[in-house]
Amino acid sequence: EEDLLIQSEKLSVVGQLAAGVAHEIRNPLTSLKGFTQLLKSKLRDRESNFIDIMQEELDRINLIVNEFMTLAKPHLIQYSDKNVKEILRSVISVLETQAILANVNLVKDYDENLPIIYCDENQLKQVLLNVIKNAIEAMPQGGDIRITVKKKGTEALSIQVQDHGPGIPADMMERIGEPFFTTKADGTGLGLMISRRIIDAHQGTFRIWSEPDRGTTVEIELPASGRSRQLQKY
Ligand code: ADP
Ligand code: MG
């Protein structure tokens, strides 16, 4: 319990920092991107390769700043009643190409008659995008990723994303979700931190199980609409 509290304290500090910094970084970044574009058109082939590298690096800064912006914009959050199947359909359509390229099969296992969820659609999409993307990235050799959506009692819903990747070693498990903790060359290490934070705001729970060499399962539990609408008032 105490750990959870400390963690959310940390997150709000990060959120506040993000609000100021992300905004300040974005404008000069846009102008840099524009001028490198202009330069590229004036350079020879060999030199213009350097511009390509500069632009990739600028894109990378932009990616990190955008992920930070998510933390910094609580006022844009809009809750409404949504069907989780619809949200998953749109997320899966975004990730389809990446899955095909990785030889990954997204296997859907959905209960019928799922409860409606009171949620911020874009934020929930972002969480599922992060989690399914992590699962695909964990299986570069391909295979099945199972996405299970089940009713939990009468008042909640559970979404599980199960991969058969290398899993997360026990000593690394405690660092997962720490800002900037990543084992990927091109990772930001912000995805899981943001996901946890979003699910907390939805009064849900976010759990990760992992077994080395067997794979990883992420479970997101969300309260059904009637229940969470009451909770939102507090
Ligand atoms: P990023 O994906 O940018 O690295 P995340 O916060 O999404 O940032 O994930 C942090 C780290 O957690 C990853 O770098 C990886 O080491 C580990 N991780 C997350 N999901 C999985 C998974 N499904 N299988 C194995 N490792 C994972
Ligand atoms: Mg990620």
Side-chain angles (χ1 to χ4, degrees):
E1 291 284 21
E2 215 172 286
D3 269 334
L4 269 176
L5 247 159
I6 292 167
Q7 206 176 6
S8 65
E9 282 290 309
K10 271 191 211 153
L11 292 179
S12 72
V13 173
V14 174
Q16 283 166 16
L17 264 173
V21 176
H23 189 76
E24 291 301 321
I25 291 177
R26 256 193 168 179
N27 292 334
L29 211 56
T30 308
S31 123
L32 276 172
K33 189 92 193 283
F35 283 115
T36 50
Q37 197 70 45
L38 200 76
L39 256 182
K40 187 175 155 75
S41 63
K42 299 198 183 299
L43 291 176
R44 277 184 286 268
D45 272 2
R46 222 186 83 77
E47 291 164 321
S48 84
N49 283 341
F50 298 138
I51 301 288
D52 291 340
I53 296 169
M54 286 170 75
Q55 287 185 336
E56 278 166 30
E57 299 291 8
L58 287 172
D59 286 342
R60 184 167 163 68
I61 298 174
N62 203 30
L63 180 82
I64 294 173
V65 169
N66 280 341
E67 293 207 31
F68 252 143
M69 289 293 262
T70 318
L71 293 168
K73 278 186 178 168
H75 54 281
L76 287 183
I77 293 174
Q78 205 155 42
Y79 281 84
S80 61
D81 280 340
K82 291 286 169 191
N83 180 339
V84 167
K85 277 190 207 173
E86 300 288 329
I87 290 179
L88 273 166
R89 182 181 304 156
S90 124
V91 168
I92 287 171
S93 76
V94 171
L95 289 174
E96 226 150 38
T97 315
Q98 196 187 340
I100 290 167
L101 287 172
N103 266 319
V104 162
N105 205 7
L106 299 173
V107 181
K108 285 163 261 179
D109 180 4
Y110 300 168
D111 265 2
E112 301 209 351
N113 303 321
L114 291 165
I116 294 294
I117 297 299
Y118 190 60
C119 65
D120 178 82
E121 184 179 10
N122 288 329
Q123 287 209 311
L124 198 54
K125 275 182 187 169
Q126 208 193 339
V127 171
L128 293 166
L129 201 75
N130 276 328
V131 169
I132 299 172
K133 199 160 174 285
N134 280 345
I136 296 173
E137 285 165 354
M139 302 215 305
Q141 73 295 345
D144 284 354
I145 290 172
R146 179 170 290 269
I147 302 170
T148 310
V149 190
K150 282 183 300 198
K151 211 150 79 170
K152 270 231 162 153
T154 49
E155 306 218 297
L157 175 146
S158 136
I159 305 166
Q160 286 192 16
V161 177
Q162 182 183 25
D163 68 55
H164 301 287
I168 301 166
D171 60 324
M172 229 179 251
M173 199 58 157
E174 48 196 82
R175 300 203 55 198
I176 297 294
E178 234 173 66
F180 302 115
F181 177 75
T182 181
T183 55
K184 299 168 193 170
D186 60 348
T188 63
L190 290 171
L192 288 179
M193 178 192 65
I194 291 170
S195 301
R196 276 225 164 88
R197 191 185 148 91
I198 291 172
I199 297 304
D200 276 358
H202 283 77
Q203 322 283 351
T205 58
F206 189 99
R207 296 193 199 91
I208 304 178
W209 292 279
S210 200
E211 249 188 284
D213 298 325
R214 302 288 303 267
T216 302
T217 302
V218 172
E219 182 181 35
I220 295 160
E221 233 182 89
L222 292 165
S225 172
R227 204 176 105 212
S228 52
R229 264 172 195 268
Q230 276 177 344
L231 290 168
Q232 294 298 329
K233 289 186 195 137
Y234 295 93

